[in-house]
Amino acid sequence: MGFLRGRLVPAALAVLLSLACGGAGARVERLLPGPAGRLNPIYDFTVSYPDTVLVIGGLSYRGLEIGLEIEFDDATLRDDDPALGAEARVEQVLAGG
């Protein structure tokens, strides 16, 4: 029995290590989601409408400023098509500055 135990423990350990490392094939997992290649360029824009008048609750406010964060799709920047793809997020809106 000592002979069998001497060979069984290292074999079981090798199988467990193989399973812990992803089996026979090497498998790479990404820890964080996101693009595999280049990162999309992100720009901050401020759009201002100084003569716009907003009426909220009977009070008038002159001027409107919108802060935007625009993330361009890198693939659309690099292709031959002049159209660009982008996602815009509104970060801030100020009225009556």
Side-chain angles (χ1 to χ4, degrees):
M1 181 123 174
F3 175 75
L4 184 60
R5 181 181 295 161
R7 292 187 183 255
L8 185 60
V9 171
L13 185 59
V15 169
L16 289 174
L17 285 174
S18 174
L19 290 174
C21 293
R27 188 174 73 190
V28 177
E29 292 186 28
R30 295 178 58 110
L31 298 178
L32 298 174
R38 296 174 52 95
L39 294 176
N40 291 332
I42 298 174
Y43 294 94
D44 292 327
F45 286 90
T46 301
V47 181
S48 181
Y49 299 96
D51 294 332
T52 299
V53 177
L54 297 174
V55 179
I56 302 172
L59 299 173
S60 62
Y61 300 91
R62 178 175 289 282
L64 178 66
E65 189 173 284
I66 304 170
L68 300 170
E69 178 183 277
I70 300 179
E71 180 176 351
F72 289 93
D73 182 20
D74 188 61
T76 65
L77 294 175
R78 299 184 176 284
D79 62 12
D80 292 334
D81 188 3
L84 303 175
E87 179 179 322
R89 288 177 286 281
V90 177
E91 295 291 323
Q92 152 183 346
V93 176
L94 298 172

mmCIF file of all heavy atoms in Angstrom, residues 6 8-9 17-18 29 32 36 40 44-46 51 55 84 88 97:
data_model
loop_
_atom_site.group_PDB
_atom_site.id
_atom_site.type_symbol
_atom_site.label_atom_id
_atom_site.label_comp_id
_atom_site.label_asym_id
_atom_site.label_seq_id
_atom_site.Cartn_x
_atom_site.Cartn_y
_atom_site.Cartn_z
ATOM 1 N N GLY A 6 2.625 6.318 -2.594
ATOM 2 C CA GLY A 6 3.737 7.137 -3.084
ATOM 3 C C GLY A 6 3.528 7.614 -4.509
ATOM 4 O O GLY A 6 4.022 8.662 -4.897
ATOM 5 N N LEU A 8 0.227 7.659 -6.029
ATOM 6 C CA LEU A 8 -1.114 8.212 -6.164
ATOM 7 C C LEU A 8 -1.169 9.688 -5.773
ATOM 8 O O LEU A 8 -1.790 10.494 -6.462
ATOM 9 C CB LEU A 8 -2.103 7.401 -5.311
ATOM 10 C CG LEU A 8 -3.565 7.782 -5.453
ATOM 11 C CD1 LEU A 8 -4.018 7.604 -6.892
ATOM 12 C CD2 LEU A 8 -4.422 6.943 -4.533
ATOM 13 N N VAL A 9 -0.501 10.078 -4.722
ATOM 14 C CA VAL A 9 -0.533 11.464 -4.251
ATOM 15 C C VAL A 9 0.077 12.414 -5.282
ATOM 16 O O VAL A 9 -0.541 13.420 -5.635
ATOM 17 C CB VAL A 9 0.142 11.592 -2.868
ATOM 18 C CG1 VAL A 9 0.309 13.041 -2.481
ATOM 19 C CG2 VAL A 9 -0.674 10.845 -1.820
ATOM 20 N N LEU A 17 -3.624 20.358 -10.148
ATOM 21 C CA LEU A 17 -2.942 21.549 -10.671
ATOM 22 C C LEU A 17 -3.319 21.800 -12.125
ATOM 23 O O LEU A 17 -3.488 22.942 -12.540
ATOM 24 C CB LEU A 17 -1.422 21.400 -10.533
ATOM 25 C CG LEU A 17 -0.877 21.573 -9.125
ATOM 26 C CD1 LEU A 17 0.622 21.258 -9.097
ATOM 27 C CD2 LEU A 17 -1.121 22.972 -8.622
ATOM 28 N N SER A 18 -3.454 20.726 -12.896
ATOM 29 C CA SER A 18 -3.853 20.873 -14.292
ATOM 30 C C SER A 18 -5.254 21.466 -14.400
ATOM 31 O O SER A 18 -5.507 22.346 -15.223
ATOM 32 C CB SER A 18 -3.799 19.517 -14.992
ATOM 33 O OG SER A 18 -4.320 19.624 -16.292
ATOM 34 N N GLU A 29 -8.050 34.580 -19.229
ATOM 35 C CA GLU A 29 -9.265 35.316 -18.924
ATOM 36 C C GLU A 29 -8.908 36.764 -18.623
ATOM 37 O O GLU A 29 -7.929 37.045 -17.953
ATOM 38 C CB GLU A 29 -9.969 34.697 -17.714
ATOM 39 C CG GLU A 29 -10.537 33.330 -18.000
ATOM 40 C CD GLU A 29 -11.345 32.806 -16.838
ATOM 41 O OE1 GLU A 29 -11.889 33.623 -16.081
ATOM 42 O OE2 GLU A 29 -11.412 31.585 -16.700
ATOM 43 N N LEU A 32 -10.810 42.537 -16.384
ATOM 44 C CA LEU A 32 -11.686 43.688 -16.530
ATOM 45 C C LEU A 32 -12.254 43.714 -17.944
ATOM 46 O O LEU A 32 -11.539 43.428 -18.896
ATOM 47 C CB LEU A 32 -10.918 44.991 -16.278
ATOM 48 C CG LEU A 32 -10.327 45.143 -14.887
ATOM 49 C CD1 LEU A 32 -9.475 46.393 -14.810
ATOM 50 C CD2 LEU A 32 -11.437 45.221 -13.854
ATOM 51 N N ALA A 36 -9.954 45.098 -26.390
ATOM 52 C CA ALA A 36 -8.713 44.325 -26.374
ATOM 53 C C ALA A 36 -7.572 45.112 -27.004
ATOM 54 O O ALA A 36 -6.423 44.907 -26.661
ATOM 55 C CB ALA A 36 -8.917 43.006 -27.104
ATOM 56 N N ASN A 40 -10.856 53.722 -26.875
ATOM 57 C CA ASN A 40 -11.598 54.739 -27.603
ATOM 58 C C ASN A 40 -11.233 56.119 -27.074
ATOM 59 O O ASN A 40 -11.133 56.316 -25.866
ATOM 60 C CB ASN A 40 -13.103 54.516 -27.445
ATOM 61 C CG ASN A 40 -13.579 53.282 -28.168
ATOM 62 O OD1 ASN A 40 -13.003 52.874 -29.160
ATOM 63 N ND2 ASN A 40 -14.635 52.690 -27.670
ATOM 64 N N ASP A 44 -14.071 65.959 -23.766
ATOM 65 C CA ASP A 44 -15.046 66.744 -23.017
ATOM 66 C C ASP A 44 -15.409 67.964 -23.856
ATOM 67 O O ASP A 44 -14.532 68.653 -24.377
ATOM 68 C CB ASP A 44 -14.469 67.203 -21.677
ATOM 69 C CG ASP A 44 -14.249 66.042 -20.721
ATOM 70 O OD1 ASP A 44 -15.039 65.083 -20.768
ATOM 71 O OD2 ASP A 44 -13.300 66.091 -19.931
ATOM 72 N N PHE A 45 -16.701 68.226 -23.992
ATOM 73 C CA PHE A 45 -17.198 69.364 -24.740
ATOM 74 C C PHE A 45 -18.107 70.188 -23.840
ATOM 75 O O PHE A 45 -18.816 69.645 -23.002
ATOM 76 C CB PHE A 45 -18.032 68.913 -25.957
ATOM 77 C CG PHE A 45 -17.219 68.358 -27.080
ATOM 78 C CD1 PHE A 45 -16.938 67.007 -27.144
ATOM 79 C CD2 PHE A 45 -16.750 69.181 -28.081
ATOM 80 C CE1 PHE A 45 -16.203 66.482 -28.176
ATOM 81 C CE2 PHE A 45 -16.005 68.664 -29.129
ATOM 82 C CZ PHE A 45 -15.731 67.312 -29.181
ATOM 83 N N THR A 46 -18.091 71.488 -24.036
ATOM 84 C CA THR A 46 -19.040 72.384 -23.390
ATOM 85 C C THR A 46 -19.785 73.124 -24.486
ATOM 86 O O THR A 46 -19.169 73.766 -25.336
ATOM 87 C CB THR A 46 -18.322 73.395 -22.478
ATOM 88 O OG1 THR A 46 -17.596 72.680 -21.484
ATOM 89 C CG2 THR A 46 -19.325 74.315 -21.796
ATOM 90 N N ASP A 51 -27.989 83.127 -25.165
ATOM 91 C CA ASP A 51 -29.215 83.921 -25.334
ATOM 92 C C ASP A 51 -30.487 83.108 -25.128
ATOM 93 O O ASP A 51 -31.582 83.643 -25.267
ATOM 94 C CB ASP A 51 -29.235 84.566 -26.726
ATOM 95 C CG ASP A 51 -28.127 85.597 -26.875
ATOM 96 O OD1 ASP A 51 -27.727 86.180 -25.849
ATOM 97 O OD2 ASP A 51 -27.640 85.792 -27.999
ATOM 98 N N VAL A 55 -37.929 79.032 -18.967
ATOM 99 C CA VAL A 55 -38.912 79.403 -17.951
ATOM 100 C C VAL A 55 -39.224 78.140 -17.161
ATOM 101 O O VAL A 55 -39.769 77.177 -17.694
ATOM 102 C CB VAL A 55 -40.184 79.988 -18.579
ATOM 103 C CG1 VAL A 55 -41.191 80.339 -17.498
ATOM 104 C CG2 VAL A 55 -39.843 81.197 -19.426
ATOM 105 N N LEU A 84 -18.599 59.180 -38.369
ATOM 106 C CA LEU A 84 -17.998 58.752 -37.108
ATOM 107 C C LEU A 84 -19.077 58.215 -36.181
ATOM 108 O O LEU A 84 -20.194 58.720 -36.166
ATOM 109 C CB LEU A 84 -17.285 59.926 -36.425
ATOM 110 C CG LEU A 84 -16.203 60.631 -37.226
ATOM 111 C CD1 LEU A 84 -15.699 61.832 -36.465
ATOM 112 C CD2 LEU A 84 -15.075 59.680 -37.539
ATOM 113 N N ALA A 88 -22.454 59.953 -26.533
ATOM 114 C CA ALA A 88 -22.355 61.181 -25.746
ATOM 115 C C ALA A 88 -23.085 61.005 -24.423
ATOM 116 O O ALA A 88 -24.185 60.464 -24.376
ATOM 117 C CB ALA A 88 -22.955 62.354 -26.506
ATOM 118 N N GLY A 97 -26.765 80.907 -15.718
ATOM 119 C CA GLY A 97 -25.454 81.166 -15.170
ATOM 120 C C GLY A 97 -25.234 82.550 -14.729
ATOM 121 O O GLY A 97 -24.549 82.977 -13.917
#
